[in-house]
Structure formats: structure tokens, C-alpha cells
Amino acid sequence: MTTQEEKIRTERSYKLLLLFGMGSMFMMFAGLTSAFVVSRSRIDWMKDFQLPTAFYISTIIIIGCSITFHLAKKAIKKDRQKATTYLLLGTLALGISFVISQFIGFREVVDSGYFFTGNASSITTTFLYMVTIVHLAHLFGGLISLLIIIYNHFKQKYNSSQTLGIELGAMYWHFLDFLWVYLFLFLYFFK
């Protein structure tokens, strides 16, 4: 086996492992959303609950993250190092903005008189809290991997012939984007 064949095989293995991981994460969220649907028939389910405005904003932000990461991947494939740097740092800034907007959304919910835990909580807000916190946990993993990618980029480990780290990061980030849009639309339509 040549070095090129070995490289292709290794890249394929890493991508397949990431796909399996993302598939299992999606199944977890499918289970959570299924529990949400079943719980809607409860007497104490809030039918008039509105998603916080910050969640709409965070949806736009995470789509922006996906776009900047995609553009970073395209830039590195053309050996545009400076553009890749700006796009990766932009993705990081947008990712942090997404996290901040999620916490602003939680604050909006609490300020509206709905609580996530305790005697004053409802099953509706507890589900909202669980789903977004679990997504945020996966997003923190994405931010850590993005920081590693940025570090490796500054160490000049990526170029047009070596893009695996950025490709894997982009795959995961697109998955997080898809997952949040799915959750947002689900929560919007299945109140």
C-alpha cells in the first residue's frame, strides 16, 4: 500500500467514525423529541408557550457559523491561509455568540415567569431546558475542536493537500447547525 492510499484510508476511517458519532447523537435527540411529543398530551402541558426571541437570533447565528466554516474549508483547499484564519476566527466568534444567545434565551424564559426546575417549573420548560442544554454540551465539544483546529492552523498543519482536521470540524459543525435548526423547528411547530 502506498502512502497516498494509506492517507485516503485513514481519512475515510476518521470520517466514518465521526458519522457514527453524529448518528448516535441524532438518535439521542430523536428520543428526546419523541418524549416531548408524548408529553404534550399531559394536562399540565403549556399550550401557549412562545420560544424566546434570542432562539430565533441564535438560529441565524449558527447558520452563519456553518457558512464561515464551509468557506474556511474552501479557502484552505486553495491555500488561502489568511482567509482561512479569518474565517475560522469568525466561526469561533459566532459560536461563542450562539452560546451567549442561548443563555439570553433562558433569561427571557425565566423573566416571563417560566422556570426550568423547582416547584414553579413546568414540564414544557423543563423539556426546553433539557434539549437546549444537551445541544449546548455538544456545541462546547465543537468549540473545543474548533480551538484545536485554529491552533493547528496557526502551526501551519493545514494546506491544500492536508485538510482533514478542518474537514472533520466542518462536518461536525454542519451537524450541530442541522441539529439546532431541527430542534428549533420542532419546538416552534410542536408546542
Side-chain angles (χ1 to χ4, degrees), residues 13-58:
S13 297
Y14 282 130
K15 288 177 182 177
L16 188 59
L17 285 170
L18 181 59
L19 286 173
F20 280 131
M22 291 185 310
S24 64
M25 285 181 245
F26 184 78
M27 293 305 293
M28 179 182 58
F29 282 99
L32 284 171
T33 53
S34 296
F36 189 94
V37 169
V38 171
S39 296
R40 283 184 42 204
S41 63
R42 291 173 49 127
I43 298 168
D44 60 346
W45 192 262
M46 295 177 357
K47 305 283 187 223
D48 60 344
F49 180 77
Q50 298 295 317
L51 288 175
T53 305
F55 282 11
Y56 292 86
I57 294 166
S58 65

Side-chain angles (χ1 to χ4, degrees), residues 7-125:
K7 178 183 173 194
I8 290 169
R9 204 173 199 182
T10 301
E11 288 178 2
R12 198 174 313 143
S13 297
Y14 282 130
K15 288 177 182 177
L16 188 59
L17 285 170
L18 181 59
L19 286 173
F20 280 131
M22 291 185 310
S24 64
M25 285 181 245
F26 184 78
M27 293 305 293
M28 179 182 58
F29 282 99
L32 284 171
T33 53
S34 296
F36 189 94
V37 169
V38 171
S39 296
R40 283 184 42 204
S41 63
R42 291 173 49 127
I43 298 168
D44 60 346
W45 192 262
M46 295 177 357
K47 305 283 187 223
D48 60 344
F49 180 77
Q50 298 295 317
L51 288 175
T53 305
F55 282 11
Y56 292 86
I57 294 166
S58 65
T59 302
I60 293 166
I61 291 170
I62 201 163
I63 290 170
C65 286
S66 235
I67 292 168
T68 55
F69 217 141
H70 174 73
L71 293 174
K73 185 176 84 168
K74 286 180 71 172
I76 198 64
K77 286 184 175 184
K78 294 177 181 174
D79 280 324
R80 295 176 50 218
Q81 298 291 334
K82 192 176 251 188
T84 303
T85 300
Y86 291 135
L87 289 163
L88 288 174
L89 292 174
T91 303
L92 179 63
L94 288 170
I96 292 168
S97 298
F98 175 83
V99 172
I100 291 168
S101 70
Q102 293 286 284
F103 284 106
I104 291 170
F106 292 150
R107 175 62 26 210
E108 284 181 39
V109 172
V110 171
D111 288 346
S112 298
Y114 303 115
F115 299 93
F116 298 108
T117 60
N119 292 337
S121 69
S122 75
I123 190 70
T124 309
T125 54

Side-chain angles (χ1 to χ4, degrees), residues 81 85-86 88-89 147-158:
Q81 298 291 334
T85 300
Y86 291 135
L88 288 174
L89 292 174
L147 287 170
I148 293 168
I149 289 167
I150 290 169
Y151 173 79
N152 286 336
H153 175 65
F154 281 124
K155 291 287 193 176
Q156 299 188 353
K157 292 188 179 184
Y158 303 121

